Amino acid sequence: MNGKKFAAPPNPERALTSQKIERPMKAVRKIITTIQKIVHRIAQWPSKTIHLIYSIDMIKRKANNDRLSSIKAHSHNLPALENEETLLAHALKDHGFCTTNSNLFEFFGAERFQAASRDIYELMERNYLETGRNIDITRLLSAKPALIDQFETVFRAGLDIKLLRIVEHYLQLPVAYGGVDIFFTVADGLERGARTWHKDSEDNPMVKVAVYLNDVGDDDGPLEILHLHQTSSDFEKLRGFKQQKLVNLQNEGKVKFEITSFTGPVGTVILCDTFKFYHRGKPATGKNRRALFFNYYANRPLTPYFCPNPPFSLDKMKDLVSNLSTIQQDAALWRENLTRVDKMVTKRKPYLNL
């Protein structure tokens, strides 16, 4: 023999067996996903019911007028901004979005925040490799209660005082901090959930702040926003539509658009009004994406019942922010000032993350 190594011939029986196992597993995962969506929609009924009441012209008009009065009264109390904050606040006001990096913000740049984020995502990725399924933070904390300290560190980072000041200048009102969504985007190329084009509905306006925890190229699931230059009359009724639907409408002459894709290195921070823009996480095909999304509304939101609650108690929240400034505490504890009805119907869990 000349020392060459020969690969074993393929085993067609083994390949066939693997395919037979994989097909039912895909079917099971699809059934589970469908059940999750049904349960999620049932849980939304109280919020949607109260929303129908609040949408009555007389009630809606009063809420909007009260909001305008609050903005006028608060205009003399907006916080002073530092140089870099001013640039970002102006860009956010002029365009509805802006970008920077995590070094600007004390909480995002802290080693404790980096370590806590890493611990959470490593467990998320490990769970995916072992089960083939993504897991949201609520189920992860239930399965791994020791992670609560890391989650609280990440949650608290959204109360960075510089970030609150920038957002306050955009909203023109004191800020309500809506918590953090932890997205582990698997590079499977699938369009579903937040990877379809949609608008957020928690408040108008609102700001979502994305923080990339790994490098994100064009194939790695970047946040994208849609700039519409021409639309048909029924376009605004669309929710959760896929890219092909958008392309089809363009080919039919019913819509004209451009897309801004936010690629960037680890530490990229994006501020965007996600009520104003259709947006999505572009389906990843390159590598898995790790990204945090922090949510901010006016204090108080027009539709607080669409704002998810954090996955821990009010007493825990008070303890978590007890050593922060009054502005930061008010941003975290805004739900305390809701009416009894709004408290009852406010969502108990974060949005479905598929």
Side-chain angles (χ1 to χ4, degrees), residues 31-49:
I31 291 170
I32 291 173
T33 298
T34 301
I35 293 172
Q36 286 178 325
K37 288 181 179 180
I38 292 171
V39 171
H40 181 68
R41 289 186 179 183
I42 292 173
Q44 287 182 316
W45 285 352
S47 297
K48 290 188 175 182
T49 301

Side-chain angles (χ1 to χ4, degrees), residues 74 78-81 85 89 92 105 107-108 155-179 207 209 271 294-297 321 324-332 334:
H74 189 65
L78 291 170
L81 298 175
E85 297 169 25
L92 187 57
F105 305 105
F107 284 8
F108 292 160
F155 182 93
R156 182 179 155 112
L159 291 166
D160 187 281
I161 193 64
K162 287 187 176 182
L163 194 57
L164 293 180
R165 287 199 294 255
I166 294 167
V167 173
E168 183 171 342
H169 271 260
Y170 180 73
L171 300 178
Q172 302 178 72
L173 285 169
V175 177
Y177 174 44
V207 175
V209 176
L271 294 82
F294 298 88
N295 304 284
Y296 304 90
Y297 331 117
V321 301
L324 297 180
S325 69
T326 300
I327 291 174
Q328 291 166 306
Q329 290 184 34
D330 288 346
W334 61 273

Side-chain angles (χ1 to χ4, degrees), residues 267-301:
T268 294
V269 177
I270 305 146
L271 294 82
C272 182
D273 185 341
T274 52
F275 180 94
K276 178 178 181 179
F277 293 103
Y278 283 100
H279 60 283
R280 68 171 185 167
K282 183 179 180 182
T285 57
K287 61 177 179 289
N288 300 334
R289 185 201 67 177
R290 299 180 176 187
L292 302 168
F293 287 80
F294 298 88
N295 304 284
Y296 304 90
Y297 331 117
N299 189 348
R300 76 179 228 196

Side-chain angles (χ1 to χ4, degrees), residues 146-352:
L147 270 183
I148 190 66
D149 288 342
Q150 287 92 324
F151 176 76
E152 288 175 357
T153 296
V154 172
F155 182 93
R156 182 179 155 112
L159 291 166
D160 187 281
I161 193 64
K162 287 187 176 182
L163 194 57
L164 293 180
R165 287 199 294 255
I166 294 167
V167 173
E168 183 171 342
H169 271 260
Y170 180 73
L171 300 178
Q172 302 178 72
L173 285 169
V175 177
Y177 174 44
V180 58
D181 296 314
I182 298 180
F183 284 104
F184 171 61
T185 302
V186 178
D188 54 14
L190 297 179
E191 284 186 85
R192 62 186 181 194
R195 286 174 272 179
T196 58
W197 291 105
H198 65 284
K199 285 184 178 181
D200 293 337
S201 58
E202 292 97 309
D203 198 21
N204 177 25
M206 63 174 288
V207 175
K208 186 160 283 189
V209 176
V211 181
Y212 289 168
L213 299 179
N214 59 344
D215 296 341
V216 176
D218 191 57
D219 296 328
D220 307 321
L223 173 66
E224 295 187 322
I225 61 174
L226 199 58
H227 305 277
L228 296 168
H229 304 300
Q230 171 190 325
T231 61
S232 59
S233 58
D234 59 346
F235 183 84
E236 288 293 330
K237 298 177 183 178
L238 295 176
R239 293 187 63 83
F241 59 94
K242 296 184 178 182
Q243 176 71 10
Q244 190 57 53
K245 175 71 172 178
L246 189 64
V247 173
N248 291 343
L249 289 171
Q250 182 185 50
N251 293 337
E252 295 168 8
K254 294 181 178 179
V255 64
K256 186 176 180 181
F257 66 89
E258 293 176 0
I259 295 173
T260 294
S261 188
F262 295 101
T263 59
V266 58
T268 294
V269 177
I270 305 146
L271 294 82
C272 182
D273 185 341
T274 52
F275 180 94
K276 178 178 181 179
F277 293 103
Y278 283 100
H279 60 283
R280 68 171 185 167
K282 183 179 180 182
T285 57
K287 61 177 179 289
N288 300 334
R289 185 201 67 177
R290 299 180 176 187
L292 302 168
F293 287 80
F294 298 88
N295 304 284
Y296 304 90
Y297 331 117
N299 189 348
R300 76 179 228 196
L302 292 173
T303 51
Y305 40 82
F306 286 155
C307 303
N309 280 329
F312 42 75
S313 68
L314 176 62
D315 287 341
K316 189 68 175 177
M317 173 78 85
K318 289 180 177 179
D319 182 62
L320 185 62
V321 301
S322 61
N323 64 339
L324 297 180
S325 69
T326 300
I327 291 174
Q328 291 166 306
Q329 290 184 34
D330 288 346
L333 301 173
W334 61 273
R335 294 173 180 83
E336 284 279 81
N337 299 320
L338 293 177
T339 65
R340 182 175 298 179
V341 171
D342 287 342
K343 286 180 180 179
M344 287 174 60
V345 300
T346 298
K347 292 181 180 178
R348 297 299 173 189
K349 293 182 179 180
Y351 287 113
L352 193 65

Side-chain angles (χ1 to χ4, degrees), residues 39-186:
V39 171
H40 181 68
R41 289 186 179 183
I42 292 173
Q44 287 182 316
W45 285 352
S47 297
K48 290 188 175 182
T49 301
I50 200 70
H51 182 61
L52 289 174
I53 297 172
Y54 280 24
S55 297
I56 296 171
D57 283 345
M58 182 177 65
I59 298 175
K60 186 175 182 179
R61 195 180 311 117
K62 183 181 185 305
N64 288 333
N65 288 337
D66 289 347
R67 167 69 68 90
L68 291 174
S69 297
S70 297
I71 288 174
K72 185 176 180 180
H74 189 65
S75 61
H76 304 294
N77 298 318
L78 291 170
L81 298 175
E82 298 176 1
N83 290 338
E84 289 178 284
E85 297 169 25
T86 301
L87 293 175
L88 290 172
H90 286 170
L92 187 57
K93 182 178 180 181
D94 292 342
H95 307 295
F97 63 91
C98 61
T99 62
T100 182
N101 65 74
S102 59
N103 293 332
L104 175 64
F105 305 105
E106 178 185 354
F107 284 8
F108 292 160
E111 176 55 36
R112 185 179 178 186
F113 168 79
Q114 300 292 335
S117 302
R118 196 160 47 243
D119 288 347
I120 291 171
Y121 276 103
E122 284 177 358
L123 268 178
M124 280 185 156
E125 189 152 13
R126 190 182 311 156
N127 177 82
Y128 177 77
L129 293 173
E130 291 173 355
T131 67
R133 295 181 59 211
N134 213 335
I135 186 170
D136 66 35
I137 189 61
T138 304
R139 293 200 301 271
L140 184 64
L141 290 177
S142 178
K144 305 285 184 181
L147 270 183
I148 190 66
D149 288 342
Q150 287 92 324
F151 176 76
E152 288 175 357
T153 296
V154 172
F155 182 93
R156 182 179 155 112
L159 291 166
D160 187 281
I161 193 64
K162 287 187 176 182
L163 194 57
L164 293 180
R165 287 199 294 255
I166 294 167
V167 173
E168 183 171 342
H169 271 260
Y170 180 73
L171 300 178
Q172 302 178 72
L173 285 169
V175 177
Y177 174 44
V180 58
D181 296 314
I182 298 180
F183 284 104
F184 171 61
T185 302
V186 178

